[in-house]
Amino acid sequence: MLIRRRRPWDLPADSVTPKDVYLSRRRFMAGAAAGAVAAGAALPAGPAAAAVERPGQRPALAPLQDTAWSTLDRADKLTPYDDVTGYNNFYELGTDKGDPKRHAGRLVTQPWTVTVDGACARPGQIAYDDFIRPHPLEERIYRLRCVEAWSMVVPWVGFPLGAALQRFEPTSAAKYVRFETIHDPEMLPAQRSRSVLDWPYVEGLRLDEAMHPLTLLAVGLYGEELPAQNGAPLRLVVPWKYGFKSIKSIVRISFVEEMPQTTWAAYGGGSEYGFYANVNPTVDHPRWSQATERRLEGGSVFTAFTRRRDTLLFNGYDDVAPLYAGMDLAKWF
């Protein structure tokens, strides 16, 4: 069954948003093959939600019936679904914030495989359904802080990355985890040019960061299948880091000994975006301050953002501070 234990960051759902508003969207993912996924993930029995056919994606599954909630201030409100899915950075689908939603149909997510390799005892290429099957799915509400100084509050559905990594038995040589997104210039024309970024998109975490219980592999949001523009079918969510660390549409996970060269850390010679990318109000981007942020809360293009608010160290997830004990966070930014 879904994880029910209380943790330091858990909070009752009704203190964040009205329960009936949230439950109105609790429909979730997978397709014919996902009947096995639902059983393997030990989802509660119940009538399946009506299937919604989407080209290249899986129809809906039974609604989830339990929730793990992350700590939020009472002033934190869920970002409306249309904004979460309509205001994105996913450069493979275009550089304008609305481009990913406009071009989402280009990203075909079925079939999908994930390759796990490197310093582990059980490497392999695994079909998406087999990759997620062993894991109970949780719903978690996390703040999402973009390096561009805007933020959202998103209800993700997924499972801890660490639980997945343990299945592949990393060896003592594994010090970092490298992630790679899909590279298919025929499907994603933006990848035909390297004028913006080098492809494929690569991200990485230290192994202890990857194993932290807050680190999530997301397969959905707002109780529904993860939309293509948000990184379907599988993306990383690391809530105490800037959003660019949460790599989308993952096709490869590698256990490596050396810190991987990641896409944004390499951009501009490495002076603008660090490997660690921890949210930190005292370490500014060379071109703007990180001391405050704008929260996206819906409305017209002129009123979608609230007044600026203070940025929280580690995005408010103080539980991760021991990971960086003794480190100079301005040097290792």
Side-chain angles (χ1 to χ4, degrees):
M1 64 183 296
L2 291 171
I3 294 175
R4 299 182 65 93
R5 67 182 184 275
R6 299 285 294 176
R7 289 164 291 193
W9 52 85
D10 290 348
L11 191 69
D14 58 6
S15 70
V16 180
T17 194
K19 192 173 183 179
D20 58 340
V21 173
Y22 183 79
L23 292 178
S24 69
R25 289 196 181 271
R26 292 174 62 129
R27 303 184 301 278
F28 196 54
M29 57 162 292
V37 177
L43 291 176
V52 180
E53 294 294 341
R54 301 174 184 175
Q57 298 181 358
R58 299 165 174 80
L61 228 201
L64 298 175
Q65 298 178 17
D66 200 358
T67 304
W69 303 88
S70 296
T71 299
L72 297 170
D73 187 271
R74 289 182 182 274
D76 285 321
K77 299 177 181 179
L78 291 182
T79 300
Y81 177 87
D82 289 343
D83 293 318
V84 172
T85 59
Y87 192 90
N88 303 97
N89 285 325
F90 195 178
Y91 283 4
E92 289 87 340
L93 294 171
T95 57
D96 184 79
K97 293 293 188 292
D99 283 347
K101 183 176 182 178
R102 281 191 289 269
H103 303 310
R106 294 176 176 173
L107 178 60
V108 178
T109 63
Q110 189 177 10
W112 194 271
T113 59
V114 179
T115 298
V116 181
D117 58 14
C120 62
R122 299 174 61 85
Q125 187 177 67
I126 304 97
Y128 169 80
D129 294 329
D130 293 330
F131 186 85
I132 72 168
R133 180 176 289 118
H135 301 288
L137 298 176
E138 303 181 18
E139 295 179 286
R140 296 188 185 182
I141 294 178
Y142 282 161
R143 300 182 189 94
L144 172 66
R145 173 59 154 83
C146 181
V147 73
E148 297 169 340
W150 55 265
S151 62
M152 294 180 173
V153 179
V154 183
W156 302 103
V157 179
F159 52 92
L161 171 63
L165 298 183
Q166 289 174 343
R167 290 166 48 198
F168 302 97
E169 300 179 14
T171 70
S172 59
K175 302 296 189 297
Y176 296 86
V177 184
R178 179 186 183 275
F179 305 88
E180 187 174 307
T181 199
I182 186 171
H183 186 211
D184 188 333
E186 292 301 314
M187 185 164 61
L188 302 171
Q191 291 183 334
R192 297 172 188 171
S193 170
R194 295 184 180 270
S195 60
V196 179
L197 295 174
D198 285 337
W199 312 110
Y201 194 99
V202 172
E203 259 308 334
L205 296 172
R206 240 172 35 196
L207 185 60
D208 58 348
E209 295 177 312
M211 299 299 289
H212 193 280
L214 278 172
T215 307
L216 195 71
L217 282 176
V219 296
L221 57 80
Y222 258 114
E224 297 183 343
E225 174 181 281
L226 196 63
Q229 62 265 34
N230 294 94
L234 185 71
R235 68 168 286 164
L236 184 66
V237 179
V238 192
W240 70 92
K241 295 181 180 288
Y242 292 119
F244 68 84
K245 294 295 288 187
S246 295
I247 185 171
K248 302 176 178 73
S249 302
I250 297 169
V251 295
R252 183 180 296 272
I253 300 173
S254 304
F255 296 97
V256 297
E257 187 169 3
E258 303 294 332
M259 180 184 290
Q261 178 66 278
T262 58
T263 296
W264 279 106
Y267 179 86
S271 63
E272 296 194 9
Y273 306 94
F275 173 83
Y276 281 94
N278 290 321
V279 177
N280 191 336
T282 69
V283 178
D284 291 335
H285 187 279
R287 288 179 280 130
W288 58 81
S289 169
Q290 296 290 15
T292 61
E293 65 192 65
R294 298 174 301 149
R295 175 65 51 81
L296 183 63
E297 291 186 345
S300 73
V301 68
F302 299 107
T303 63
F305 289 100
T306 62
R307 293 181 301 173
R308 302 196 76 90
R309 61 179 67 201
D310 291 341
T311 297
L312 302 174
L313 180 62
F314 301 126
N315 209 19
Y317 297 96
D318 298 336
D319 187 65
V320 305
L323 294 174
Y324 311 104
M327 290 181 62
D328 181 344
L329 298 183
K331 176 181 179 181
W332 301 104
F333 66 98

